[in-house]
Amino acid sequence: MEEKNVVLSKEGNIAVITINRPKALNALNTETLLELNNVIEAVELDDEVYAVILTGAGEKAFVAGADISEMKNMTVVEGRKFGKLGNKVFRRIENLEKPVIAALNGFTLGGGCELAMSCDIRIASTKAKFGQPEAGLGITPGFGGTQRMARLVGMGMAKELIFTGKMIDANEALRIGLVNSVFEPEKLMEEARALANSIALNAPIAVRLCKSAINRGIQCDIDTALMYETEVFGECFATEDQKEGMTAFVERRAKNFKNR
Ligand code: DAK
């Protein structure tokens, strides 16, 4: 299957995934979600990829939501199927054994905001706008928005954004913790690459285990979470990269991690 709505490129140990439907402001239709699923699978299987950047094509949008034209006439069964597909792809990104940075270059609305929230780190351009406008379309957020938004920015702020459907700008998104940092549009990808490269310099297995410990731990009580942390900490000592990292420190030389 030829990937046309989603483009994958590799730059050293970094994969850049671009949602590529600029005429529809990169809205997510079934075809795009299926392509994104394929691309995520390819990245998952590629041992040379240590970090991923997800962005949108064009100057206006990251993703302006799920595709309203496609959803308009959906039956209950089709709606459920569509929701299931989106949730599967987004959960796959959340669970991907590599860090994913969302570089938010414009409208990040509805399913687009939900896609961004399934990534590990969000950085935005000053032009980005955020919102969950679903209630104004007669639906609820269906790709995890009601759950991930509250976990990220707290229940009060999540409820205000979701109940009103209002749009906020990048600085407000920064203030409430929806994004980590904001850059001028022309600097966004450069900053995303710098961030991805600084992560990729660390031991990939350790980064993967950190992601897993944070994601799993946040869902459970502190004792279970700390038990899980202890488990992954122990696991590091079975890796060559732990030996390399610590030996390089003691020998005062540069590290050379091998992802083993
Ligand atoms: N879907 C389809 N097409 C879209 C789109 C979208 N979400 N957003 C924009 N477009 C298309 C426009 O129709 C237009 O196409 P043409 O008319 O040129 O063919 C083109 O992109 C450019 O858009 P505009 O002409 O409207 O551009 P403006 O600069 O004037 O306005 C805008 C930009 C972002 C403010 C506006 O386009 C807009 O309000 N877009 C819709 C934003 C939105 O409401 N997004 C949320 C979508 S709902 C679920 C699964 C999923 C979901 C829910 C439930 N289950 C199955 C349970 C998720 C829902 C959503 O994401």
Side-chain angles (χ1 to χ4, degrees):
M1 178 176 162
E2 191 192 326
E3 262 72 58
K4 56 181 171 59
N5 293 339
V6 181
V7 177
L8 170 65
S9 65
K10 264 178 70 178
E11 302 170 9
N13 293 117
I14 311 298
V16 180
I17 301 173
T18 306
I19 310 291
N20 186 38
R21 283 188 81 207
K23 280 190 188 147
L25 301 188
N26 302 322
L28 300 172
N29 58 4
T30 300
E31 197 184 15
T32 305
L33 286 170
L34 288 169
E35 288 184 22
L36 183 57
N37 189 48
N38 288 346
V39 164
I40 296 296
E41 183 169 10
V43 164
E44 209 167 59
L45 296 173
D46 189 337
D47 287 340
E48 285 176 1
V49 172
Y50 294 174
V52 181
I53 298 170
L54 179 62
T55 193
E59 295 189 346
K60 272 185 82 172
F62 168 64
V63 168
D67 192 306
I68 299 172
S69 326
E70 185 181 347
M71 283 189 300
K72 190 166 57 82
N73 295 320
M74 275 182 186
T75 62
V76 175
V77 174
E78 288 164 344
R80 251 189 223 128
K81 205 169 152 197
F82 187 64
K84 213 169 151 185
L85 172 63
N87 272 316
K88 179 180 134 183
V89 182
F90 290 15
R91 190 78 176 124
R92 192 166 198 171
I93 293 171
E94 196 166 42
N95 285 333
L96 187 70
E97 294 186 338
K98 310 176 192 246
V100 184
I101 298 163
L104 307 166
N105 52 310
F107 289 113
T108 300
L109 301 174
C113 194
E114 293 169 303
L115 176 59
M117 291 190 291
S118 70
C119 299
D120 299 300
I121 297 173
R122 282 153 296 285
I123 65 173
S125 112
T126 49
K127 278 194 185 161
K129 296 256 190 304
F130 301 83
Q132 295 290 160
E134 286 87 346
L137 293 164
I139 55 174
T140 57
F143 293 152
T146 57
Q147 305 309 308
R148 292 194 182 98
M149 180 70 85
R151 283 165 169 80
L152 262 176
V153 303
M155 285 237 285
M157 197 53 82
K159 284 177 179 169
E160 185 176 330
L161 285 172
I162 292 170
F163 294 174
T164 63
K166 70 178 177 184
M167 257 192 239
I168 58 169
D169 65 17
N171 281 331
E172 178 65 357
L174 179 66
R175 192 186 71 77
I176 66 174
L178 186 56
V179 301
N180 290 17
S181 34
V182 177
F183 302 100
E184 289 305 321
E186 60 279 9
K187 287 269 171 206
L188 181 68
M189 285 310 287
E190 189 185 313
E191 293 289 346
R193 287 186 176 94
L195 182 57
N197 279 314
S198 71
I199 295 171
L201 284 177
N202 288 325
I205 298 171
V207 173
R208 160 165 71 80
L209 292 172
C210 289
K211 172 167 173 170
S212 163
I214 295 168
N215 281 2
R216 288 181 69 166
I218 205 83
Q219 311 292 348
C220 49
D221 67 275
I222 186 75
D223 290 318
T224 311
L226 289 173
M227 249 173 359
Y228 187 68
E229 186 187 72
T230 308
E231 276 304 306
V232 297
F233 178 74
E235 214 175 295
C236 295
F237 290 82
T239 67
E240 283 179 30
D241 285 349
Q242 174 270 325
K243 306 284 178 277
E244 168 61 15
M246 293 191 177
T247 306
F249 174 80
V250 170
E251 293 176 356
R252 294 182 182 277
R253 63 165 171 81
K255 297 160 282 192
N256 181 16
F257 291 126
K258 299 239 167 60
N259 196 13
R260 290 201 291 254

